[in-house]
């Protein structure tokens, strides 16, 4: 599959986070998010935050991107949903700011029969992030909550593992910097 592809169980809720720090000082110029709406229920990028300050480790989530090892597995009323509900409260108390957000809704999808999309449901790409100032050393946390959107999605992948890749693509004009943050399509600071 594509670089950065990971697996999630296609028939249950799961979640994980990744955290890091930005490398440069620059305003955000443009952004977009990419995900697979059939399996990703919600994803968000927080700045001025750590996984600990957002309560993600306490909720049972782990920094996994290696398939489903070590992530939080549960029913919709279990630890993953508890972590999701607690993010708004934790965000405020930690001084964090949610700058990018995707939430799977029917408003982002339409049925297109005869396509290769699961159950004929096509999800539009999400809008980008709100404007914010990127600063060298500014901590960030990306959180992904996965769950199937339908019976067809939960039974589609062989072996019950859905291959996904999710991206928060952040672009900025960084004069004099060519690598490792830039490619022919522009500069990206993390994905």
């Amino acid at each position: 599959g594509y670089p950065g592809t990971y697996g999630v169980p296609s028939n249950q809720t799961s979640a994980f986070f990744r955290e890091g720090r930005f490398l440069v000082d620059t305003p955000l110029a443009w952004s977009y998010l990419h995900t697979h709406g059939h399996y990703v229920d919600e994803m968000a990028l927080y700045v001025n935050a750590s996984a600990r300050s957002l309560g993600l480790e306490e909720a049972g989530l782990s920094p996994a991107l290696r398939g489903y090892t070590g992530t939080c597995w549960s029913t919709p009323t279990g630890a993953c949903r508890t972590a999701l509900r607690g993010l708004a409260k934790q965000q405020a108390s930690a001084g964090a700011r949610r700058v990018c957000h995707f939430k799977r809704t029917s408003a982002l999808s339409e049925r297109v029969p005869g396509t290769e999309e699961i159950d004929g449901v096509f999800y539009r790409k999400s809008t980008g992030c709100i404007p914010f100032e990127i600063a060298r050393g500014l901590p960030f946390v990306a959180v992904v909550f996965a769950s199937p959107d339908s019976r067809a999605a939960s039974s589609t992948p062989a072996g019950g593992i859905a291959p996904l890749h999710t991206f928060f693509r952040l672009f900025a004009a960084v004069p004099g910097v060519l690598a490792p943050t830039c490619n022919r399509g522009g500069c990206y600071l993390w994905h």
Side-chain angles (χ1 to χ4, degrees):
Y2 295 104
T5 298
Y6 56 92
V8 298
S10 62
N11 62 353
Q12 56 187 313
T13 299
S14 61
F16 68 88
F17 67 85
R18 297 290 286 178
E19 59 185 335
R21 293 185 178 272
F22 287 104
L23 305 175
V24 295
D25 294 312
T26 185
L28 178 68
W30 181 71
S31 63
Y32 72 91
L33 310 181
H34 172 80
T35 191
H36 296 263
H38 292 287
Y39 297 106
V40 173
D41 181 41
E42 189 160 2
M43 60 190 253
L45 179 68
Y46 296 87
V47 296
N48 198 35
S50 67
R52 182 177 303 276
S53 71
L54 291 177
L56 299 175
E57 293 169 338
E58 293 171 4
L61 278 69
S62 70
L65 241 182
R66 325 173 274 286
Y68 54 89
T69 304
T71 58
C72 120
W73 307 116
S74 68
T75 62
T77 58
C80 291
R81 291 296 171 198
T82 301
L84 179 58
R85 284 192 304 270
L87 272 174
K89 179 181 175 185
Q90 293 293 111
Q91 171 188 343
S93 66
R97 183 176 176 208
R98 186 176 73 188
V99 293
C100 307
H101 185 235
F102 166 84
K103 172 73 175 143
R104 178 177 63 208
T105 67
S106 59
L108 289 175
S109 67
E110 59 191 270
R111 190 164 293 280
V112 184
T115 67
E116 293 185 16
E117 295 294 322
I118 296 170
D119 234 9
V121 177
F122 174 78
Y123 283 93
R124 296 184 191 96
K125 299 302 180 204
S126 177
T127 58
C129 307
I130 62 172
F132 71 99
E133 192 72 26
I134 297 168
R136 180 186 310 269
L138 178 67
F140 63 81
V141 180
V143 186
V144 176
F145 291 89
S147 67
D149 71 346
S150 66
R151 184 179 299 270
S154 67
S155 62
T156 297
I161 301 297
L164 299 183
H165 50 269
T166 50
F167 296 96
F168 299 90
R169 288 272 170 95
L170 308 179
F171 293 81
V174 184
V177 177
L178 297 177
T181 58
C182 299
N183 63 23
R184 279 185 240 152
C187 298
Y188 58 92
L189 305 175
W190 180 77
H191 75 271

